[in-house]
Amino acid sequence: MTATLTDLLQLARSLHDDLDLTQVSKWKAAKPGRKAVGHMPIYVPRELIHAAGMLPVGVVGGGDRLEIIRGDAYFQSYICRIPRSTIELALSGRLDVLDGMLFPSICDVIRNLSGMWRMLFPDRYVHYVDVPQNFDPAVGGQFWRRELETMRDDFARLSGHPVDDEDLRASIAVYNDNRAALRDLYRERSRRPWVFPLSEVYLLLRAGNVLPPEEHTQMLRAYLRQAPLDSSRREQDQSRVVLVGMFCEQPPHGLVVTLERAGCSAVDDDLLLGLRWLTRDVAVDGDPLSNLVDAYLTASASTASRYSPDGDRARWLLDSVKRNSAEGVVFCAPSFCDPALLDQPMLVAALDRAGIPHTEFKYAEDTGQFAVIREQAGTFSDSIRLWSTP
Amino acid sequence: MSDIQKEPSMLLQKRLLADHFDALARAPEEGKKVVYTFVPGNLNELVRSFDLLPVLPEINALQSGMRKLSGGYIAEAEKHGHSEDVCTYVKCDIGMLRKGNIGPTGKRLPKPDLLLLSYTGCFTFMKWFELLREEYDCPVAMLHVPYQADGRIDPHQRDYVVQQLRSEVIPKLEQVSGKKFDEERLRSMLRLSAKAEDDLVWVLESARNVPSPIDAYFGGVYYIGPIFSAFRGTPEGIEYYATLRREIEERVAKREGPITPDGQLENERYRLVVEGPPNWTSFREFWHMFYEEDAVVVASTYTKVGGLYDTGFRHDPDHPLETLADYCLGCYTNLGLPARVALLERYIRDYKADGLLINSVKSCNSFSVGQLLMLRELEQRTGVPGAFIESDLVDPRYFSAANIKNRIESYLQMLDQKRQSKVAS
Ligand code: SF4
Ligand code: SF4
């Protein structure tokens, strides 16, 4: 039975809204002994969790539907929202379904949150994923391999399922499929953003946080097939923009909708990079850990959290603008997000040098008022269209 | 204010710093090469072994804060698109650069010949030097120091740092200086480091005395100055710490309290442990709030950001690169939160503290995230009540003197009441 487009989108929406991770509970309940491991956004080798027979679960805070009761008592007002809503989720029992939690080296907030987790939940598995900032295979590569080995052994212990090379190869293949589907989605969206609007693409990406990768790939493929069949999707006079800064704390869905209504069609973005941080397939043959290491060193997405040894912070952005024929860049970073906001002046300077229009604003995951953003994005979109009119 | 009291070691430090900034100002005409680098995880001995001169932007920022220049520098950076939300050290530095890069002694700082990016304990360092890289046409050496999430150094972490020293840092230092790496010279400098470190630890631990002869936070920031910056591994550093130690030995013998800018603290009433960096824009005013109440800080974590020596680490000349790796890995903000809590717990007990104060600075996520939980945990473990205040490092907009003073006064009153009720029972 094939799901209709409406069904698909409804499912994605319900997964997005499901703060209790019931999908994860269901998955676990389907087979006794199943385990799930949560991880904060970006740079986590999900293949290793999968190879141990566990479900990788992306945790991106509580968005705009979670009332923060306890979380605020743990964080000063000048710290972004995602750690406080994540702590709230945990303290309210909503993350009890997770058997472990990974904190990748995104920034000092997530780093320290890993220590808070250890203190608050001493009985749960917690691991800080220290991603190398050195890209020499003999140095950073070796370090990353060691980190991967540590995690592989930890996950084998946690799941009671030893992870051999065959398991890992199979998981790499599963994630290659998922990455390919995501790449196809991004490519198609860039060609016809009116067929694949951001407000939908975002929900489909979010589904990847909680669905097993095989199911997520199917969902993406179904969407790619079905969205073009909807004849009501017509080309609109919208400006083509790249969105930058949303790689960690996620925007509320309402913000994404607001951007669209303001006339901005996203043709590229850095939302949920955790699903897409390796930009090409990982080799399946040969030593799987070496292949994962090589993929990180040579093909991981550039973000504010990753050092760029070549000294060219903005190249990926300029490339994206060009590749996607974007007319402008919208910087939308979470308030108090050091990596995104420290990166921004460098990216802005590069865009100015290249004569690419841009606008900037900040959000929080629980932003509820979009009037100002709508106004700003609308003016920006209008101005781009004005300029680009021959 | 001409009647500020100063310790002789402070005058010596002032001279050392002035000489260093003079040398930096003369560097371009003398053909000396300059390396910009950060305090935590700094490789001073290695840099100096190539006859390169270090510039530490954080020190410039804090000095700008103390000289009331930081507000203007930050405004300048924000005018150029730097967010109000991010670390003010970075903005102060960028603003200073845009205004001519005049250093703390009024002389222009030379441009870097190398940016030595030691990524220790703080993610912002990386962004900071990426930003500076845009301003200067010079190479960058990146040293990624892994995090001690488990509160211990794994051998593979040490190996990773040593490999980077060999393959990334030393070749770039050689390239910039035009000199070959001289391991013997490095060893002899590390020997000097260890000697000064012994004296520093003695000084910091003198605060176990009652009354304490030092203030380990406000005074402490002066005591760590030379060793956290350009003078670790130098004869000047040795001289400074020997002088300081003699000074404090005398005070211990006479059972005297710390010297503060407003005079000697003679009647120690409260012994506090402080977590978090100080505020620099109102540093004296902040210190005065403690002085007025006869409160002495007996241990602080800020004085461990550039090296945690009082848990036993010393630079080891017999293993020069490994010891540099351990040093980088061991800086305070590179420790996981449970290890930070354990250290503070030890301080509260070992230094017989009456209280724990956290100064949470807006700029620094590396320090600040988790401090509220740390406070709660430490209160539970030690029974010592804690207090929490908020300010910033060098942004004067975030130092509310009246609020902070109120908070400190009421906290100390509460400690008093607690003490009295203990006596009564
Ligand atoms: S939103 Fe930014 S500052 Fe906050 S946790 Fe994520 S990366 Fe760190
Ligand atoms: S965030 Fe903290 S440690 Fe990092 S540069 Fe700023 S003040 Fe220093």
Side-chain angles (χ1 to χ4, degrees):
Chain A
M1 192 185 83
T2 46
T4 66
L5 184 60
T6 316
D7 292 342
L8 267 181
L9 292 172
Q10 254 171 16
L11 172 61
R13 177 83 217 194
S14 68
L15 293 173
H16 167 276
D17 289 349
D18 179 18
L19 293 172
D20 293 308
L21 297 179
T22 40
Q23 163 64 28
V24 179
S25 305
K26 267 195 232 153
W27 181 85
K28 283 179 73 173
K31 213 168 166 189
R34 274 184 166 176
K35 295 212 162 126
V37 173
H39 65 83
M40 297 304 289
I42 76 171
Y43 294 174
V44 159
R46 290 159 65 97
E47 291 86 347
L48 288 178
I49 304 172
H50 185 266
M54 301 189 290
L55 181 68
V57 179
V59 176
V60 289
D64 55 352
R65 285 156 303 104
L66 181 69
E67 193 190 351
I68 306 291
I69 299 163
R70 281 164 281 201
D72 280 338
Y74 288 87
F75 296 97
Q76 300 87 322
S77 55
Y78 50 79
I79 290 166
C80 58
R81 302 294 305 174
I82 183 169
R84 73 190 73 219
S85 62
T86 302
I87 284 276
E88 181 75 37
L89 288 171
L91 292 174
S92 59
R94 290 176 170 100
L95 302 185
D96 286 355
V97 66
L98 302 178
D99 300 284
M101 191 73 188
L102 305 177
F103 295 86
S105 47
I106 304 175
C107 70
D108 296 328
V109 176
I110 300 292
R111 187 197 72 175
N112 286 14
L113 188 60
S114 73
M116 294 177 71
W117 219 264
R118 278 168 205 267
M119 288 164 64
L120 287 166
F121 310 107
D123 302 329
R124 298 190 198 171
Y125 173 77
V126 183
H127 184 70
Y128 177 70
V129 184
D130 215 342
V131 185
Q133 301 285 5
N134 175 296
F135 299 88
D136 178 343
V139 183
Q142 209 173 320
F143 177 78
W144 187 228
R145 187 185 172 94
R146 197 39 218 264
E147 287 286 304
L148 295 178
E149 283 168 357
T150 303
M151 279 184 270
R152 185 189 56 189
D153 297 348
D154 284 359
F155 298 157
R157 258 192 307 278
L158 190 62
S159 65
H161 173 303
V163 182
D164 63 26
D165 286 357
E166 270 319 304
D167 295 326
L168 199 42
R169 283 192 198 104
S171 296
I172 287 174
V174 165
Y175 276 96
N176 279 344
D177 280 350
N178 190 250
R179 282 186 276 266
L182 285 162
R183 282 197 303 271
D184 288 348
L185 175 59
Y186 269 67
R187 198 175 40 245
E188 287 306 311
R189 192 259 306 254
S190 175
R191 276 184 53 217
R192 291 177 293 170
W194 58 92
V195 175
F196 307 100
L198 182 69
S199 52
E200 291 177 4
V201 170
Y202 180 40
L203 294 176
L204 286 151
L205 291 173
R206 291 283 295 254
N209 273 342
V210 288
L211 285 179
E214 301 85 346
E215 284 179 38
H216 185 234
T217 306
Q218 277 179 18
M219 180 186 234
L220 295 172
R221 293 279 175 217
Y223 177 66
L224 273 164
R225 269 193 316 274
Q226 290 178 21
L229 304 179
D230 176 1
S231 57
S232 68
R233 297 173 182 227
R234 300 231 172 83
E235 185 164 2
Q236 290 160 358
D237 182 23
Q238 294 222 328
S239 51
R240 298 170 63 84
V241 300
V242 175
L243 303 179
V244 182
M246 301 163 145
F247 54 88
C248 181
E249 181 173 313
Q250 296 295 292
H253 190 253
L255 190 153
V256 167
V257 172
T258 302
L259 287 177
E260 271 172 6
R261 292 200 181 136
C264 293
S265 263
V267 290
D268 198 9
D269 60 65
D270 57 1
L271 286 157
L272 292 160
L273 263 188
L275 305 176
R276 304 178 287 121
W277 67 288
L278 297 179
T279 56
R280 62 155 166 82
D281 281 359
V282 180
V284 178
D285 297 333
D287 175 36
L289 284 187
S290 300
N291 293 340
L292 284 172
V293 169
D294 180 60
Y296 171 71
L297 297 177
T298 60
S300 47
S302 189
T303 65
S305 300
R306 179 187 180 277
Y307 182 58
S308 51
D310 60 2
D312 198 349
R313 275 292 329 138
R315 192 194 309 141
W316 66 272
L317 180 56
L318 296 175
D319 284 352
S320 168
V321 168
K322 201 167 158 202
R323 191 177 60 247
N324 296 296
S325 310
E327 296 156 298
V329 172
V330 177
F331 290 96
C332 30
S335 294
F336 305 109
C337 177
D338 272 18
L341 294 170
L342 285 162
D343 218 30
Q344 207 163 290
M346 291 180 266
L347 303 179
V348 162
L351 293 178
D352 285 343
R353 284 194 295 271
I356 298 163
H358 52 85
T359 189
E360 297 86 29
F361 57 79
K362 293 186 288 187
Y363 66 87
E365 61 178 7
D366 61 346
T367 300
Q369 298 293 328
F370 304 114
V372 177
I373 291 177
R374 184 173 182 155
E375 176 82 26
Q376 196 182 328
T379 311
F380 179 66
S381 174
D382 291 347
S383 69
I384 296 181
R385 274 177 287 170
L386 206 64
W387 290 332
S388 59
T389 307
Chain B
M1 283 182 248
S2 56
D3 55 345
I4 298 176
Q5 280 223 26
K6 287 213 162 93
E7 301 160 287
S9 58
M10 252 170 142
L11 298 172
L12 176 56
Q13 179 168 175
K14 205 169 167 197
R15 203 190 71 215
L16 287 182
L17 276 177
D19 289 350
H20 184 63
F21 281 105
D22 280 351
L24 286 171
R26 291 194 312 270
E29 76 203 45
E30 291 179 358
K32 290 245 169 69
K33 297 287 170 56
V34 173
V35 173
Y36 283 22
T37 196
F38 294 111
V39 169
N42 75 68
L43 303 169
N44 195 54
E45 300 88 345
L46 188 64
V47 169
R48 292 265 186 178
S49 76
F50 286 93
D51 291 319
L52 297 164
L53 291 172
V55 168
L56 298 136
E58 300 130 293
I59 306 273
N60 301 337
L62 76 86
Q63 294 270 1
S64 300
M66 282 178 136
R67 291 181 304 131
K68 313 271 184 213
L69 295 171
S70 53
Y73 291 155
I74 292 166
E76 179 72 17
E78 288 181 359
K79 203 169 81 194
H80 284 89
H82 291 264
S83 167
E84 66 200 60
D85 290 356
V86 302
C87 171
T88 53
Y89 265 9
V90 182
K91 285 184 288 184
C92 183
D93 189 42
I94 302 260
M96 186 175 99
L97 172 63
R98 296 208 179 260
K99 296 251 183 192
N101 225 16
I102 306 299
T105 54
K107 296 188 173 149
R108 188 181 299 277
L109 290 167
K111 289 182 178 169
D113 296 290
L114 175 72
L115 293 168
L116 173 50
L117 199 185
S118 60
Y119 174 111
T120 301
C122 164
F123 182 87
T124 298
F125 288 143
M126 187 173 98
K127 306 313 294 177
W128 190 341
F129 271 13
E130 283 180 343
L131 284 159
L132 285 195
R133 179 169 71 180
E134 306 259 304
E135 308 280 343
Y136 298 113
D137 183 22
C138 75
V140 186
M142 161 61 131
L143 176 67
H144 173 215
V145 176
Y147 184 55
Q148 275 201 52
D150 300 325
R152 58 162 204 274
I153 298 172
D154 280 334
H156 86 284
Q157 295 179 317
R158 180 182 300 123
D159 293 346
Y160 175 45
V161 178
V162 170
Q163 282 170 345
Q164 291 177 81
L165 291 173
R166 282 193 215 284
S167 64
E168 165 82 1
V169 177
I170 292 177
K172 292 217 167 113
L173 291 170
E174 286 182 331
Q175 182 198 328
V176 166
S177 66
K179 293 190 173 151
K180 285 299 289 173
F181 171 49
D182 180 347
E183 191 169 297
E184 267 323 299
R185 189 158 185 222
L186 175 62
R187 284 180 204 272
S188 63
M189 290 179 147
L190 292 169
R191 218 161 275 130
L192 298 184
S193 302
K195 168 97 190 62
E197 287 155 6
D198 281 343
D199 282 341
L200 170 68
V201 170
W202 187 92
V203 168
L204 293 176
E205 291 188 340
S206 72
R208 293 178 190 225
N209 287 288
V210 182
S212 170
I214 62 163
D215 185 288
Y217 186 53
F218 296 104
V221 301
Y222 290 95
Y223 306 154
I224 57 173
I227 212 159
F228 279 16
S229 61
F231 303 100
R232 207 179 63 229
T234 66
E236 294 90 334
I238 296 271
E239 185 198 349
Y240 171 80
Y241 285 98
T243 308
L244 175 66
R245 181 169 173 163
R246 278 195 301 277
E247 210 169 271
I248 309 296
E249 277 171 346
E250 254 176 57
R251 246 185 269 158
V252 173
K254 294 188 200 154
R255 295 182 54 77
E256 284 177 352
I259 310 266
T260 84
D262 300 297
Q264 189 145 35
L265 196 141
E266 284 165 358
N267 180 26
E268 173 186 295
R269 284 179 61 211
Y270 308 98
R271 296 169 65 82
L272 304 176
V273 169
V274 175
E275 146 77 14
N279 163 273
W280 300 110
T281 47
S282 302
F283 184 79
R284 233 195 109 183
E285 194 179 356
F286 195 20
W287 194 349
H288 185 74
M289 293 175 193
F290 290 72
Y291 171 76
E292 280 185 317
E293 301 288 334
D294 293 318
V296 177
V297 181
V298 288
S300 67
T301 50
Y302 182 68
T303 51
K304 315 295 155 37
V305 286
L308 194 59
Y309 299 109
D310 60 345
T311 53
F313 172 79
R314 294 290 180 278
H315 281 91
D316 173 6
D318 294 334
H319 304 96
L321 297 188
E322 291 74 11
T323 204
L324 288 175
D326 284 356
Y327 161 71
C328 293
L329 285 156
C331 292
Y332 176 70
T333 47
N334 202 47
L335 304 183
L337 253 53
R340 283 172 60 182
V341 167
L343 187 72
L344 279 160
E345 181 183 3
R346 204 195 91 192
Y347 285 164
I348 291 169
R349 296 191 201 283
D350 289 359
Y351 290 79
K352 302 180 199 70
D354 310 300
L356 164 73
L357 182 84
I358 295 186
N359 181 34
S360 178
V361 297
K362 175 179 177 286
S363 271
C364 189
N365 284 344
S366 175
F367 253 108
S368 302
V369 174
Q371 281 177 327
L372 285 158
L373 178 62
M374 288 168 70
L375 180 77
R376 207 173 308 168
E377 179 77 14
L378 283 160
E379 283 184 328
Q380 264 170 23
R381 286 199 203 174
T382 63
V384 163
F388 201 85
I389 55 176
E390 294 187 34
S391 68
D392 189 49
L393 295 159
V394 289
D395 193 333
R397 293 172 294 190
Y398 298 101
F399 188 85
S400 162
N403 281 347
I404 292 177
K405 192 167 164 30
N406 262 338
R407 184 81 195 91
I408 292 172
E409 278 173 7
S410 52
Y411 174 59
L412 295 177
Q413 272 168 17
M414 188 265 281
L415 289 185
D416 249 348
Q417 280 161 6
K418 201 172 165 224
R419 211 180 277 173
Q420 277 159 15
S421 62
K422 227 186 204 168
V423 172
S425 62

